[in-house]
Amino acid sequence: MLVSLVLLLLGALAAVVTPRLMARAEWPEREPVVALWVWQCVVAGVLLSFGLSMTFSAAAAWQAVRGQVFAHAPHSVVEAYALGAYGPWSAVMAVLLALGGIWSAAMLTREIRRAQVRRRLRRAELLVRSPLMPGEEPGNGRLMVLEGERPDAWWLPGSAPQLVITTAALGRLKGRQLDAVLAHEQGHAQARHDWLLHCSAALANGFPQVPVFAAFRDEMHRLVELAADDVASRRFGRLTIALALVELNEDRGVFGPCPTPDAELPLRVNRLLSPVERLTAGRRLRLTAAAALVPAVPLLVAFVPGLSALG
């Protein structure tokens, strides 16, 4: 049962330590895209550790599973894992981890369905606020303008994604600020940030006591906005997108002394107006490569006994 326990402990260690390490690091704000990659690799490593632990526990507990997992393996490889020495706890561990996997899939399915319902309701609301004229065919335009006194703009994902913007926002945004807002929202769409948000929300809601999943959700909401800000700033300049954010949100009280749900907005504006030098290309490459190795660690732990037996 040693391999299963090592994999389980490895996943638990990563789930506890990673949020603390990332909270102390200062580079994620400078490189949000790299930080997004690191978080995805860590979560993938945690899930892979638990999945492999479940597989070996189930193989130790039930002969039918063992026959499938080691169907074409030599006898020496099977002996290297000492599956016969596993105690009765292997079945308990396998069942608990399997239930966790089923629960994760159920939470992700629920999150996707909720998002689809919200999207349908929003599209229906848009159709009411901007009805089609007699004889007009539904268009696939990427920009929809709504009559509204509140400046607002958002990207509506789906099979035909659209940028929705109110007339008040058009009156506020000057020069290339509208183009910067469009580039920001297109950055979300091109990187499929909506899927990152769905997956992180599903894991955090399904396992609220697991630190890495809660931190994953919170950081995804923050980092996707920083990454989209950088996409817009590279095309239209930091000052342009910063002023656009101010114009769209200054009437909501987010820049006042009292905390609001959009408390990250002032920090985003300050980040754009006070840019910090990016990491060097070499350091970005090293961080990317190191993160990619995280999911490889549980695979290495799982295959080392078998490879050693073959050697």
Side-chain angles (χ1 to χ4, degrees):
M1 198 170 180
L2 181 60
V3 175
S4 293
L5 288 176
V6 170
L7 288 167
L8 188 63
L9 292 175
L10 185 64
L13 181 64
V16 173
V17 172
T18 300
R20 298 179 182 178
L21 293 178
M22 293 297 287
R24 296 174 184 173
E26 297 180 356
W27 62 265
E29 287 195 1
R30 299 165 63 183
E31 298 293 344
V33 174
V34 178
L36 286 169
W37 170 251
V38 170
W39 274 106
Q40 291 175 74
C41 289
V42 169
V43 171
V46 170
L47 296 177
L48 187 58
S49 296
F50 292 157
L52 289 172
S53 179
M54 177 197 69
T55 300
F56 284 111
S57 298
W62 299 291
Q63 183 64 41
V65 178
R66 188 184 312 177
Q68 294 294 323
V69 174
F70 297 94
H72 304 289
H75 182 71
S76 60
V77 172
V78 181
E79 289 296 320
Y81 288 94
L83 298 175
Y86 283 39
W89 286 103
S90 58
V92 177
M93 185 185 300
V95 170
L96 290 177
L97 290 172
L99 290 175
I102 294 172
W103 182 248
S104 300
M107 290 296 100
L108 180 58
T109 302
R110 187 185 71 169
E111 183 66 26
I112 292 174
R113 287 181 177 176
R114 285 181 173 180
Q116 291 173 340
V117 170
R118 288 194 299 268
R119 192 156 56 238
R120 284 197 297 267
L121 291 175
R122 199 139 200 194
R123 288 193 181 278
E125 178 187 355
L126 292 179
L127 192 59
V128 171
R129 295 178 62 182
S130 181
L132 297 175
M133 301 298 291
E136 182 182 1
E137 295 293 333
N140 293 323
R142 299 175 70 86
L143 180 65
M144 175 182 288
V145 179
L146 292 180
E147 189 76 31
E149 299 179 355
R150 181 178 180 179
D152 203 359
W154 67 91
W155 189 265
L156 190 62
S159 57
Q162 288 180 309
L163 174 66
V164 183
I165 189 167
T166 63
T167 52
L170 290 177
R172 286 285 189 91
L173 299 176
K174 305 174 182 65
R176 300 206 301 170
Q177 292 175 6
L178 176 60
D179 295 327
V181 171
L182 178 59
H184 173 98
E185 299 299 339
Q186 285 178 334
H188 285 312
Q190 291 171 357
R192 299 310 305 263
H193 287 162
D194 54 327
W195 279 101
L196 276 178
L197 297 177
H198 293 331
C199 293
S200 61
L203 289 171
N205 293 334
F207 305 94
Q209 303 304 321
V210 180
V212 71
F213 295 152
F216 182 47
R217 175 193 57 194
D218 296 339
E219 285 298 287
M220 288 305 98
H221 282 278
R222 185 175 73 95
L223 292 173
V224 297
E225 294 298 338
L226 299 184
D229 286 345
D230 288 348
V231 170
S233 67
R234 281 194 289 270
R235 293 182 58 187
F236 300 100
R238 289 178 172 271
L239 181 60
T240 303
I241 185 62
L243 292 176
L245 290 174
V246 172
E247 292 290 349
L248 288 175
N249 296 282
E250 65 178 345
D251 292 341
R252 302 181 186 183
V254 298
F255 298 102
C258 300
T260 66
D262 296 319
E264 289 289 335
L265 268 168
L267 300 178
R268 289 168 55 194
V269 172
N270 289 336
R271 174 179 176 270
L272 290 167
L273 296 179
S274 305
V276 180
E277 186 178 355
R278 295 186 64 186
L279 300 180
T280 63
R283 189 176 178 189
R284 293 199 300 271
L285 181 61
R286 288 193 296 272
L287 284 170
T288 302
L293 291 176
V294 173
V297 173
L299 289 175
L300 187 64
V301 172
F303 289 118
V304 158
L307 294 175
S308 300
L310 290 176

CSV table of all heavy atoms in Angstrom, one decimal, residues 213-264:
chain,number,residue,atom,x,y,z
A,213,PHE,N,-8.1,24.3,-3.7
A,213,PHE,CA,-9.3,24.5,-4.6
A,213,PHE,C,-9.9,25.9,-4.3
A,213,PHE,O,-10.3,26.6,-5.3
A,213,PHE,CB,-10.3,23.4,-4.4
A,213,PHE,CG,-9.8,22.0,-4.8
A,213,PHE,CD1,-10.3,20.9,-4.3
A,213,PHE,CD2,-8.8,21.9,-5.8
A,213,PHE,CE1,-9.9,19.6,-4.7
A,213,PHE,CE2,-8.4,20.7,-6.2
A,213,PHE,CZ,-8.9,19.5,-5.6
A,214,ALA,N,-10.0,26.3,-3.0
A,214,ALA,CA,-10.5,27.6,-2.7
A,214,ALA,C,-9.6,28.7,-3.3
A,214,ALA,O,-10.1,29.7,-3.9
A,214,ALA,CB,-10.7,27.8,-1.2
A,215,ALA,N,-8.3,28.5,-3.1
A,215,ALA,CA,-7.3,29.5,-3.6
A,215,ALA,C,-7.3,29.5,-5.1
A,215,ALA,O,-7.2,30.6,-5.8
A,215,ALA,CB,-5.9,29.2,-3.1
A,216,PHE,N,-7.5,28.3,-5.7
A,216,PHE,CA,-7.6,28.2,-7.2
A,216,PHE,C,-8.7,29.1,-7.8
A,216,PHE,O,-8.5,29.8,-8.7
A,216,PHE,CB,-7.7,26.8,-7.6
A,216,PHE,CG,-7.8,26.5,-9.0
A,216,PHE,CD1,-6.8,27.0,-9.9
A,216,PHE,CD2,-8.7,25.6,-9.6
A,216,PHE,CE1,-6.9,26.8,-11.3
A,216,PHE,CE2,-8.7,25.3,-10.9
A,216,PHE,CZ,-7.8,25.9,-11.8
A,217,ARG,N,-9.9,29.0,-7.1
A,217,ARG,CA,-11.0,29.7,-7.6
A,217,ARG,C,-10.8,31.2,-7.4
A,217,ARG,O,-11.0,32.0,-8.4
A,217,ARG,CB,-12.3,29.3,-6.8
A,217,ARG,CG,-13.5,30.2,-7.1
A,217,ARG,CD,-14.6,30.0,-6.1
A,217,ARG,NE,-14.1,30.2,-4.7
A,217,ARG,CZ,-14.7,29.9,-3.6
A,217,ARG,NH1,-15.9,29.2,-3.7
A,217,ARG,NH2,-14.2,30.2,-2.4
A,218,ASP,N,-10.3,31.7,-6.3
A,218,ASP,CA,-10.1,33.1,-6.0
A,218,ASP,C,-9.0,33.6,-7.0
A,218,ASP,O,-9.2,34.8,-7.5
A,218,ASP,CB,-9.7,33.3,-4.6
A,218,ASP,CG,-10.8,32.9,-3.6
A,218,ASP,OD1,-11.9,32.8,-4.0
A,218,ASP,OD2,-10.4,32.7,-2.4
A,219,GLU,N,-8.0,32.9,-7.2
A,219,GLU,CA,-6.9,33.4,-8.0
A,219,GLU,C,-7.3,33.4,-9.5
A,219,GLU,O,-6.9,34.3,-10.3
A,219,GLU,CB,-5.6,32.5,-7.8
A,219,GLU,CG,-4.9,32.8,-6.5
A,219,GLU,CD,-4.4,34.2,-6.5
A,219,GLU,OE1,-3.4,34.6,-7.2
A,219,GLU,OE2,-5.0,35.0,-5.7
A,220,MET,N,-8.1,32.5,-9.9
A,220,MET,CA,-8.6,32.5,-11.3
A,220,MET,C,-9.4,33.7,-11.6
A,220,MET,O,-9.2,34.4,-12.6
A,220,MET,CB,-9.5,31.2,-11.6
A,220,MET,CG,-8.7,29.9,-11.7
A,220,MET,SD,-7.4,29.9,-12.9
A,220,MET,CE,-5.9,30.2,-11.8
A,221,HIS,N,-10.2,34.2,-10.7
A,221,HIS,CA,-11.0,35.4,-10.9
A,221,HIS,C,-10.1,36.6,-11.0
A,221,HIS,O,-10.4,37.5,-11.8
A,221,HIS,CB,-12.0,35.6,-9.8
A,221,HIS,CG,-13.2,34.7,-9.9
A,221,HIS,ND1,-14.3,35.0,-10.7
A,221,HIS,CD2,-13.5,33.5,-9.3
A,221,HIS,CE1,-15.2,34.1,-10.6
A,221,HIS,NE2,-14.8,33.2,-9.8
A,222,ARG,N,-9.0,36.6,-10.2
A,222,ARG,CA,-8.1,37.8,-10.3
A,222,ARG,C,-7.2,37.7,-11.5
A,222,ARG,O,-7.0,38.7,-12.2
A,222,ARG,CB,-7.3,37.8,-9.0
A,222,ARG,CG,-6.4,39.0,-8.8
A,222,ARG,CD,-5.8,39.0,-7.4
A,222,ARG,NE,-4.7,38.0,-7.4
A,222,ARG,CZ,-3.4,38.2,-7.6
A,222,ARG,NH1,-3.0,39.4,-7.9
A,222,ARG,NH2,-2.5,37.3,-7.5
A,223,LEU,N,-6.6,36.6,-11.7
A,223,LEU,CA,-5.6,36.5,-12.7
A,223,LEU,C,-6.1,36.6,-14.1
A,223,LEU,O,-5.5,37.1,-15.0
A,223,LEU,CB,-4.8,35.2,-12.6
A,223,LEU,CG,-3.9,35.0,-11.3
A,223,LEU,CD1,-3.4,33.6,-11.2
A,223,LEU,CD2,-2.8,36.1,-11.3
A,224,VAL,N,-7.3,36.1,-14.4
A,224,VAL,CA,-7.9,36.2,-15.7
A,224,VAL,C,-8.1,37.7,-16.1
A,224,VAL,O,-8.0,38.1,-17.3
A,224,VAL,CB,-9.2,35.4,-15.9
A,224,VAL,CG1,-8.9,33.9,-15.7
A,224,VAL,CG2,-10.3,35.9,-15.0
A,225,GLU,N,-8.5,38.5,-15.1
A,225,GLU,CA,-8.7,39.9,-15.4
A,225,GLU,C,-7.3,40.6,-15.6
A,225,GLU,O,-7.2,41.4,-16.5
A,225,GLU,CB,-9.4,40.6,-14.2
A,225,GLU,CG,-10.8,40.1,-14.0
A,225,GLU,CD,-11.7,40.4,-15.1
A,225,GLU,OE1,-11.4,41.3,-16.0
A,225,GLU,OE2,-12.8,39.7,-15.3
A,226,LEU,N,-6.3,40.2,-14.9
A,226,LEU,CA,-5.0,40.8,-15.1
A,226,LEU,C,-4.5,40.4,-16.5
A,226,LEU,O,-3.9,41.2,-17.2
A,226,LEU,CB,-4.0,40.4,-14.0
A,226,LEU,CG,-4.4,40.8,-12.6
A,226,LEU,CD1,-3.2,40.3,-11.6
A,226,LEU,CD2,-4.6,42.3,-12.4
A,227,ALA,N,-4.7,39.1,-16.8
A,227,ALA,CA,-4.2,38.7,-18.1
A,227,ALA,C,-4.9,39.4,-19.3
A,227,ALA,O,-4.3,39.8,-20.3
A,227,ALA,CB,-4.4,37.2,-18.3
A,228,ALA,N,-6.3,39.6,-19.1
A,228,ALA,CA,-7.0,40.3,-20.2
A,228,ALA,C,-6.6,41.8,-20.2
A,228,ALA,O,-6.5,42.4,-21.3
A,228,ALA,CB,-8.5,40.2,-19.9
A,229,ASP,N,-6.3,42.4,-19.0
A,229,ASP,CA,-5.8,43.8,-19.0
A,229,ASP,C,-4.5,43.9,-19.8
A,229,ASP,O,-4.3,44.8,-20.6
A,229,ASP,CB,-5.5,44.2,-17.6
A,229,ASP,CG,-6.8,44.5,-16.8
A,229,ASP,OD1,-7.9,44.7,-17.5
A,229,ASP,OD2,-6.8,44.6,-15.6
A,230,ASP,N,-3.6,42.9,-19.7
A,230,ASP,CA,-2.3,42.9,-20.4
A,230,ASP,C,-2.5,42.8,-21.9
A,230,ASP,O,-1.8,43.4,-22.7
A,230,ASP,CB,-1.4,41.8,-19.9
A,230,ASP,CG,-0.9,42.1,-18.5
A,230,ASP,OD1,-1.0,43.2,-18.0
A,230,ASP,OD2,-0.3,41.2,-17.8
A,231,VAL,N,-3.5,42.0,-22.3
A,231,VAL,CA,-3.8,41.8,-23.7
A,231,VAL,C,-4.2,43.2,-24.3
A,231,VAL,O,-3.7,43.6,-25.4
A,231,VAL,CB,-4.9,40.8,-23.9
A,231,VAL,CG1,-5.4,40.8,-25.4
A,231,VAL,CG2,-4.4,39.4,-23.6
A,232,ALA,N,-5.1,43.9,-23.6
A,232,ALA,CA,-5.5,45.2,-24.1
A,232,ALA,C,-4.4,46.2,-24.0
A,232,ALA,O,-4.3,47.0,-24.9
A,232,ALA,CB,-6.7,45.6,-23.3
A,233,SER,N,-3.6,46.2,-23.0
A,233,SER,CA,-2.6,47.2,-22.8
A,233,SER,C,-1.5,47.1,-23.8
A,233,SER,O,-0.9,48.0,-24.3
A,233,SER,CB,-2.0,47.1,-21.4
A,233,SER,OG,-1.3,45.9,-21.2
A,234,ARG,N,-1.2,45.8,-24.3
A,234,ARG,CA,-0.2,45.6,-25.3
A,234,ARG,C,-0.6,46.2,-26.6
A,234,ARG,O,0.2,46.6,-27.4
A,234,ARG,CB,0.2,44.1,-25.4
A,234,ARG,CG,1.1,43.6,-24.4
A,234,ARG,CD,1.7,42.3,-24.7
A,234,ARG,NE,0.6,41.2,-24.7
A,234,ARG,CZ,0.4,40.5,-23.6
A,234,ARG,NH1,1.0,40.7,-22.4
A,234,ARG,NH2,-0.6,39.6,-23.6
A,235,ARG,N,-1.9,46.3,-26.9
A,235,ARG,CA,-2.4,46.8,-28.2
A,235,ARG,C,-2.7,48.3,-28.1
A,235,ARG,O,-2.5,49.0,-29.1
A,235,ARG,CB,-3.7,46.0,-28.6
A,235,ARG,CG,-3.4,44.6,-28.9
A,235,ARG,CD,-4.7,43.9,-29.4
A,235,ARG,NE,-5.3,44.6,-30.5
A,235,ARG,CZ,-6.5,44.3,-31.0
A,235,ARG,NH1,-7.2,43.3,-30.5
A,235,ARG,NH2,-7.0,44.9,-32.1
A,236,PHE,N,-3.2,48.7,-27.0
A,236,PHE,CA,-3.6,50.1,-26.9
A,236,PHE,C,-3.0,51.0,-25.8
A,236,PHE,O,-3.4,52.1,-25.7
A,236,PHE,CB,-5.2,50.2,-26.8
A,236,PHE,CG,-5.9,49.5,-27.9
A,236,PHE,CD1,-6.4,48.2,-27.8
A,236,PHE,CD2,-6.1,50.1,-29.1
A,236,PHE,CE1,-7.0,47.6,-28.8
A,236,PHE,CE2,-6.7,49.5,-30.2
A,236,PHE,CZ,-7.2,48.2,-30.0
A,237,GLY,N,-2.1,50.4,-25.0
A,237,GLY,CA,-1.4,51.1,-24.0
A,237,GLY,C,-2.1,51.0,-22.6
A,237,GLY,O,-3.3,50.8,-22.5
A,238,ARG,N,-1.3,51.0,-21.6
A,238,ARG,CA,-1.8,50.9,-20.2
A,238,ARG,C,-2.7,52.0,-19.8
A,238,ARG,O,-3.7,51.8,-19.1
A,238,ARG,CB,-0.6,50.7,-19.3
A,238,ARG,CG,0.2,49.4,-19.4
A,238,ARG,CD,1.4,49.4,-18.4
A,238,ARG,NE,2.0,48.1,-18.4
A,238,ARG,CZ,1.6,47.1,-17.6
A,238,ARG,NH1,0.6,47.3,-16.7
A,238,ARG,NH2,2.2,45.9,-17.7
A,239,LEU,N,-2.3,53.2,-20.2
A,239,LEU,CA,-3.2,54.3,-19.8
A,239,LEU,C,-4.5,54.3,-20.4
A,239,LEU,O,-5.5,54.6,-19.7
A,239,LEU,CB,-2.5,55.6,-20.2
A,239,LEU,CG,-3.2,56.9,-19.9
A,239,LEU,CD1,-3.4,57.1,-18.4
A,239,LEU,CD2,-2.5,58.2,-20.4
A,240,THR,N,-4.6,53.8,-21.6
A,240,THR,CA,-5.9,53.7,-22.3
A,240,THR,C,-6.9,52.8,-21.6
A,240,THR,O,-8.0,53.1,-21.3
A,240,THR,CB,-5.8,53.3,-23.8
A,240,THR,OG1,-4.9,54.2,-24.4
A,240,THR,CG2,-7.1,53.3,-24.5
A,241,ILE,N,-6.4,51.6,-21.3
A,241,ILE,CA,-7.3,50.6,-20.6
A,241,ILE,C,-7.6,51.0,-19.2
A,241,ILE,O,-8.7,50.8,-18.7
A,241,ILE,CB,-6.7,49.2,-20.7
A,241,ILE,CG1,-7.7,48.1,-20.2
A,241,ILE,CG2,-5.4,49.1,-20.1
A,241,ILE,CD1,-9.0,48.0,-20.9
A,242,ALA,N,-6.6,51.6,-18.5
A,242,ALA,CA,-6.8,52.1,-17.2
A,242,ALA,C,-7.9,53.2,-17.1
A,242,ALA,O,-8.8,53.1,-16.3
A,242,ALA,CB,-5.5,52.6,-16.6
A,243,LEU,N,-7.9,54.1,-18.0
A,243,LEU,CA,-8.9,55.1,-18.1
A,243,LEU,C,-10.3,54.6,-18.5
A,243,LEU,O,-11.3,55.0,-18.0
A,243,LEU,CB,-8.5,56.2,-19.1
A,243,LEU,CG,-7.3,57.1,-18.7
A,243,LEU,CD1,-7.0,58.1,-19.9
A,243,LEU,CD2,-7.6,57.9,-17.5
A,244,ALA,N,-10.3,53.5,-19.3
A,244,ALA,CA,-11.5,52.9,-19.7
A,244,ALA,C,-12.2,52.2,-18.5
A,244,ALA,O,-13.4,52.3,-18.3
A,244,ALA,CB,-11.3,51.9,-20.8
A,245,LEU,N,-11.3,51.5,-17.7
A,245,LEU,CA,-11.8,50.9,-16.4
A,245,LEU,C,-12.4,51.9,-15.5
A,245,LEU,O,-13.4,51.7,-14.8
A,245,LEU,CB,-10.7,50.1,-15.8
A,245,LEU,CG,-10.3,48.8,-16.5
A,245,LEU,CD1,-9.1,48.2,-15.8
A,245,LEU,CD2,-11.4,47.8,-16.6
A,246,VAL,N,-11.7,53.1,-15.4
A,246,VAL,CA,-12.2,54.1,-14.5
A,246,VAL,C,-13.6,54.7,-15.0
A,246,VAL,O,-14.5,54.9,-14.2
A,246,VAL,CB,-11.2,55.3,-14.4
A,246,VAL,CG1,-11.8,56.5,-13.6
A,246,VAL,CG2,-10.0,54.8,-13.6
A,247,GLU,N,-13.7,54.9,-16.3
A,247,GLU,CA,-14.9,55.5,-16.9
A,247,GLU,C,-16.1,54.5,-16.7
A,247,GLU,O,-17.2,55.0,-16.4
A,247,GLU,CB,-14.7,55.8,-18.4
A,247,GLU,CG,-13.7,56.9,-18.7
A,247,GLU,CD,-14.2,58.2,-18.3
A,247,GLU,OE1,-15.5,58.4,-18.0
A,247,GLU,OE2,-13.5,59.2,-18.3
A,248,LEU,N,-15.8,53.2,-16.8
A,248,LEU,CA,-16.9,52.3,-16.7
A,248,LEU,C,-17.4,52.0,-15.2
A,248,LEU,O,-18.5,51.6,-15.0
A,248,LEU,CB,-16.5,50.9,-17.3
A,248,LEU,CG,-16.4,50.9,-18.8
A,248,LEU,CD1,-15.9,49.5,-19.3
A,248,LEU,CD2,-17.7,51.2,-19.5
A,249,ASN,N,-16.5,52.3,-14.3
A,249,ASN,CA,-16.8,51.9,-12.9
A,249,ASN,C,-16.8,53.0,-11.8
A,249,ASN,O,-17.0,52.7,-10.7
A,249,ASN,CB,-15.7,50.8,-12.5
A,249,ASN,CG,-15.8,49.5,-13.3
A,249,ASN,OD1,-16.7,48.7,-13.1
A,249,ASN,ND2,-14.9,49.4,-14.3
A,250,GLU,N,-16.5,54.2,-12.2
A,250,GLU,CA,-16.3,55.2,-11.2
A,250,GLU,C,-17.7,55.5,-10.5
A,250,GLU,O,-17.7,55.9,-9.3
A,250,GLU,CB,-15.8,56.5,-11.8
A,250,GLU,CG,-16.6,57.2,-12.8
A,250,GLU,CD,-16.0,58.5,-13.3
A,250,GLU,OE1,-15.0,59.0,-12.6
A,250,GLU,OE2,-16.4,59.0,-14.3
A,251,ASP,N,-18.8,55.3,-11.2
A,251,ASP,CA,-20.1,55.6,-10.5
A,251,ASP,C,-20.6,54.5,-9.6
A,251,ASP,O,-21.6,54.6,-8.9
A,251,ASP,CB,-21.2,55.8,-11.6
A,251,ASP,CG,-21.0,57.0,-12.4
A,251,ASP,OD1,-20.2,57.9,-11.9
A,251,ASP,OD2,-21.5,57.2,-13.5
A,252,ARG,N,-19.8,53.4,-9.5
A,252,ARG,CA,-20.2,52.3,-8.7
A,252,ARG,C,-19.6,52.3,-7.3
A,252,ARG,O,-19.8,51.4,-6.4
A,252,ARG,CB,-19.8,50.9,-9.3
A,252,ARG,CG,-20.4,50.8,-10.7
A,252,ARG,CD,-20.0,49.4,-11.3
A,252,ARG,NE,-20.5,49.3,-12.7
A,252,ARG,CZ,-20.3,48.2,-13.4
A,252,ARG,NH1,-19.7,47.2,-12.9
A,252,ARG,NH2,-20.7,48.2,-14.7
A,253,GLY,N,-18.8,53.3,-7.0
A,253,GLY,CA,-18.2,53.5,-5.7
A,253,GLY,C,-17.0,52.6,-5.4
A,253,GLY,O,-16.6,52.5,-4.3
A,254,VAL,N,-16.5,52.0,-6.5
A,254,VAL,CA,-15.4,51.0,-6.3
A,254,VAL,C,-14.1,51.7,-5.9
A,254,VAL,O,-13.1,51.1,-5.4
A,254,VAL,CB,-15.2,50.1,-7.5
A,254,VAL,CG1,-16.4,49.3,-7.7
A,254,VAL,CG2,-14.8,50.9,-8.7
A,255,PHE,N,-14.0,53.0,-6.2
A,255,PHE,CA,-12.7,53.8,-6.0
A,255,PHE,C,-12.9,54.6,-4.7
A,255,PHE,O,-12.0,55.4,-4.4
A,255,PHE,CB,-12.4,54.7,-7.1
A,255,PHE,CG,-12.2,53.9,-8.4
A,255,PHE,CD1,-13.1,53.9,-9.4
A,255,PHE,CD2,-11.0,53.3,-8.6
A,255,PHE,CE1,-12.9,53.2,-10.6
A,255,PHE,CE2,-10.7,52.6,-9.8
A,255,PHE,CZ,-11.7,52.5,-10.8
A,256,GLY,N,-13.9,54.3,-3.9
A,256,GLY,CA,-14.1,55.1,-2.6
A,256,GLY,C,-13.4,54.3,-1.5
A,256,GLY,O,-12.8,53.3,-1.6
A,257,PRO,N,-13.6,54.9,-0.3
A,257,PRO,CA,-12.9,54.3,0.9
A,257,PRO,C,-13.6,53.0,1.4
A,257,PRO,O,-13.0,52.2,2.1
A,257,PRO,CB,-13.0,55.4,2.0
A,257,PRO,CG,-14.2,56.2,1.6
A,257,PRO,CD,-14.3,56.1,0.1
A,258,CYS,N,-14.8,52.8,1.1
A,258,CYS,CA,-15.6,51.6,1.6
A,258,CYS,C,-15.3,50.4,0.7
A,258,CYS,O,-15.3,50.6,-0.6
A,258,CYS,CB,-17.1,51.9,1.7
A,258,CYS,SG,-17.5,53.3,2.8
A,259,PRO,N,-15.2,49.2,1.2
A,259,PRO,CA,-14.9,48.0,0.4
A,259,PRO,C,-16.2,47.7,-0.4
A,259,PRO,O,-17.3,47.9,0.1
A,259,PRO,CB,-14.6,47.0,1.4
A,259,PRO,CG,-15.2,47.4,2.7
A,259,PRO,CD,-15.1,48.9,2.7
A,260,THR,N,-16.0,47.2,-1.6
A,260,THR,CA,-17.1,46.8,-2.5
A,260,THR,C,-16.8,45.4,-3.0
A,260,THR,O,-15.6,44.9,-3.0
A,260,THR,CB,-17.3,47.8,-3.6
A,260,THR,OG1,-16.1,47.7,-4.5
A,260,THR,CG2,-17.4,49.2,-3.1
A,261,PRO,N,-17.8,44.8,-3.7
A,261,PRO,CA,-17.5,43.5,-4.3
A,261,PRO,C,-16.4,43.6,-5.4
A,261,PRO,O,-15.8,42.6,-5.8
A,261,PRO,CB,-18.9,43.1,-4.9
A,261,PRO,CG,-19.9,43.8,-4.0
A,261,PRO,CD,-19.2,45.1,-3.7
A,262,ASP,N,-16.3,44.8,-6.0
A,262,ASP,CA,-15.3,45.0,-7.1
A,262,ASP,C,-14.0,45.6,-6.5
A,262,ASP,O,-13.4,46.5,-7.2
A,262,ASP,CB,-15.9,45.8,-8.2
A,262,ASP,CG,-17.0,45.1,-8.9
A,262,ASP,OD1,-16.9,43.9,-9.1
A,262,ASP,OD2,-18.0,45.8,-9.2
A,263,ALA,N,-13.6,45.2,-5.3
A,263,ALA,CA,-12.4,45.8,-4.7
A,263,ALA,C,-11.1,45.6,-5.5
A,263,ALA,O,-10.2,46.4,-5.2
A,263,ALA,CB,-12.3,45.3,-3.3
A,264,GLU,N,-11.1,44.7,-6.4
A,264,GLU,CA,-9.9,44.4,-7.2
A,264,GLU,C,-9.7,45.5,-8.2
A,264,GLU,O,-8.5,45.6,-8.7
A,264,GLU,CB,-9.9,43.0,-7.8
A,264,GLU,CG,-9.8,41.9,-6.9
A,264,GLU,CD,-8.4,41.8,-6.3
A,264,GLU,OE1,-7.5,42.2,-7.0
A,264,GLU,OE2,-8.2,41.2,-5.2
